Amino acid sequence: MKTRLKILIIVSMMLIMVIGVTAQSNVLIPNTPTTGRITEGSAAQIFTFEALANSTATLSISSETGFALTMILSDATGVILGQVQKAAGAATGAESLIENVPLPTAGTYYVTVLITPGVVTALAGEFVVTLTLVGGDSATIPPVQTTPDVQATVEAVATPDLSLPPTSATASVTPANFQVSQVALPSGITVNLTWNTQDDLNLQVRAPNGGTLFWDSRTTNDSGVFGADVNGLCEVLATPPAVETASWQGGSLSAGRYEVLVYYRFYCGDTPAPVDFTVDVNLNGTPLTPITGTLQAPSDGNVPVHIASFVVNPDGTGSTTPGGLYTDTRVLPIGVSDILTAPSTPLFFNSPTEGVIAGDQYYQTYTFTGQAGQLVNISMNRVLGNLDTLLILFDASGTIIADNDDVDSPRDTNSVISTRLPAAGTYTVFASRYGKDVGGTEGTYTLLVAEEAPERALNLNLPTGDIEVTLTWNTNADLQLLVRDPFGDAVYDDAESVRSGGLLTATGNRNCATTLTPPPVYHIYWPSGTLDIGSYEIEIWYQSECGDTRPVTFNLFVVVGGELIFSETTGIRFNERYVTSFTANLDGTAVPSLGGIIGGSETLPYQTELGSAIVMQSGSSFTASITPDNKFDVYAFDGLVGDIVTITMNATSPTLDPLLFLIDPNGIEIARNDDANTNTRNSLINRITLAANGRYYILATHFGAIYGGTVGPYNISLQLERPAPPTETP
């Protein structure tokens, strides 16, 4: 499908030069329906129209039932401004629109209509295209003398070697000609990172074949070896200069681009300060041009990273690229307008396409047309090379709608975006790599945009109702799905039904009994007429590998009242728990909450509330509530070295599963408790001896912390035992 679509579009663009001047019968007149015809064996039909600068175009297309068409709007340079698919099942007269596309310059624009590849459709038929133009820098567009009802038929041309134009001025690599080759290097490769302080810097080198060397990956299967982790965690400090080394022994090694990353992990002195560094690459006994840079000290959990690279050519020679600092995912090295107007490839739902990132060709752009409120899943997966993918999604105005770097760093560096489209129109996918223009990874990838709907994603005969929660995943592992209702009752393996009506109907790989029809599926639902208002909590527990150690990626779908309100595609590790929740309202709507792998107090944004914390004294107690809008409360007390502290949090409703954290004066979590006993309604931090003087903070929350969904009132109390000072001996 992909190859055929490329050929059709390129043939259309080539034929514009041939028919654009002479085929006056193919000129679109604003507000005048124009009939076109595609005969069996033909490829496409092309129309033109004239527009003024700063006008806006809307195009509609309709056709007979059973005739699936794609309409593409492009400017005179071949840049695609919008496209739409007219489904084969659409009734006669039903219109598909390319809406409100800005036309920045005056001149000729092109509309290509072709049979949508890859779908079941009639091979010939008539269609109607209507153009609407609004605005512009002058009054009107002069009328063009033409006969709208005359058609021109464009025959397909056999050009199988054609490919789309590159997505940037320097792009020249295609998936077909990208490869990872080997080169004989008798003296191997050595990469040294050198700096002149006792701070903790880290070196990482990623080879073209996907192998990586750093402190937590010390060998590769092609003779790669990482040396000492110098000044690691500031535990054992080396006398400057400090040197970390990644090397490959002599032999047959990967040719291509090696990415070099330098991290400033910790400053080990009293005062944070910038650190200068040098990376020396010795390629088969020949030193390459050194890479130098300066990293600022880390702050607020932010670890500065310098990204550079070096190339090993097929003849054994090489060169370095100095690179630069890593920037945030949404910080772009080029203007948004450059991205939106770059030559792009049209995407069609559920039809994958291929691309390549290599060298200066660090991004490619794609466009698709979506509807307001439509849930989409966009995935970018590496095929060849060491590519570390990155995705950004723009709307028609250039606003970033969503982004993703890694599905599950560092295990899965592919990228996935799952989001609801805010409006109807054309969306642009920016497919790139970690580091973007300064990044060094390369490779081919597949890109897919899919409608995010349970019936399309699962294609299973599962029961439906007021609430439907469905979980699938990609391995033989045993994942458990649990849904807790607003009354505190949970549906899961050991309780397949609850009083509120919830039922467990599909159990995936329960007890490692592998499903005969992959993927494994868990399904919990509430039949029609059983929806209760309140908070529902969803938990996914990776409870057994079942002998399958492959990385697990799951898909979670939550449907309330027939509407998909939440979906998530992410990785999970053995024994981790993913938690999310939603609130069902009286009017039948539902509001989803955040979801994620549960951790400790670091998942709670409590720092901004420390100043307003309720101060407790020994023996005092307070009553409060956890709600969907108040997921935690902060309390404080002053402690001394040697004080013995006991904190009790008791739920006064069966709907709350409480959780406690204790934070010391330095902001370190020193204690936590979920369940004091088998009763999940109580949490207890019991007789903790304090090791420092100062103000301590208590975080009162629920299971799952920021991701949790249980709610209800609770009582919290503090007991502080202060040992008497020792008496002096006379």
Side-chain angles (χ1 to χ4, degrees), residues 498-719:
V498 292
R499 293 170 296 174
S500 62
L503 298 170
L504 173 65
T505 62
T507 57
N509 295 334
R510 181 165 62 177
N511 298 326
C512 297
T514 305
T515 178
L516 297 177
T517 56
V521 179
Y522 250 101
H523 185 67
I524 294 172
Y525 85 112
W526 273 255
S528 297
T530 62
L531 178 66
D532 290 295
I533 63 172
S535 179
Y536 291 77
E537 182 177 77
I538 301 169
E539 176 189 328
I540 300 168
W541 175 28
Y542 185 172
Q543 60 183 357
S544 178
E545 292 181 326
C546 302
D548 189 342
T549 59
R550 290 176 295 169
V552 172
T553 299
F554 70 77
N555 304 288
L556 174 67
F557 304 95
V558 182
V559 175
V560 178
E563 180 183 357
L564 182 62
I565 66 161
F566 181 82
S567 65
E568 178 76 278
T569 300
T570 192
I572 188 170
R573 300 180 183 181
F574 174 61
N575 217 29
E576 284 185 333
R577 295 174 188 256
Y578 173 96
V579 174
T580 187
S581 63
F582 66 91
T583 301
N585 301 317
L586 187 61
D587 62 0
T589 62
V591 179
S593 184
L594 294 173
I597 303 297
I598 62 173
S601 58
E602 75 280 356
T603 65
L604 293 172
Y606 66 87
Q607 291 83 357
T608 58
E609 299 190 19
L610 297 182
S612 59
I614 299 173
V615 179
M616 302 183 71
Q617 306 295 331
S618 179
S620 63
S621 64
F622 292 89
T623 298
S625 292
I626 300 298
T627 70
D629 297 324
N630 180 55
K631 289 180 172 287
F632 65 95
D633 293 313
V634 182
Y635 301 87
F637 68 91
D638 295 317
L640 299 177
V641 173
D643 285 353
I644 300 173
V645 176
T646 297
I647 307 165
T648 303
M649 181 182 181
N650 293 329
T652 56
S653 165
T655 60
L656 177 65
D657 184 357
L659 173 65
L660 278 174
F661 295 104
L662 178 59
I663 310 297
D664 75 3
N666 296 314
I668 306 299
E669 178 190 314
I670 60 173
R672 74 171 77 175
N673 182 256
D674 178 16
D675 300 326
N677 46 48
T678 57
N679 184 352
T680 61
R681 291 172 56 188
N682 302 317
S683 294
L684 174 67
I685 293 177
N686 191 31
R687 299 185 62 79
I688 297 294
T689 301
L690 304 185
N693 297 331
R695 174 148 291 190
Y696 289 77
Y697 294 94
I698 302 166
L699 309 181
T701 183
H702 51 191
F703 172 77
I706 197 66
Y707 306 124
T710 64
V711 296
Y714 68 89
N715 179 271
I716 188 169
S717 62
L718 170 70
Q719 296 295 328

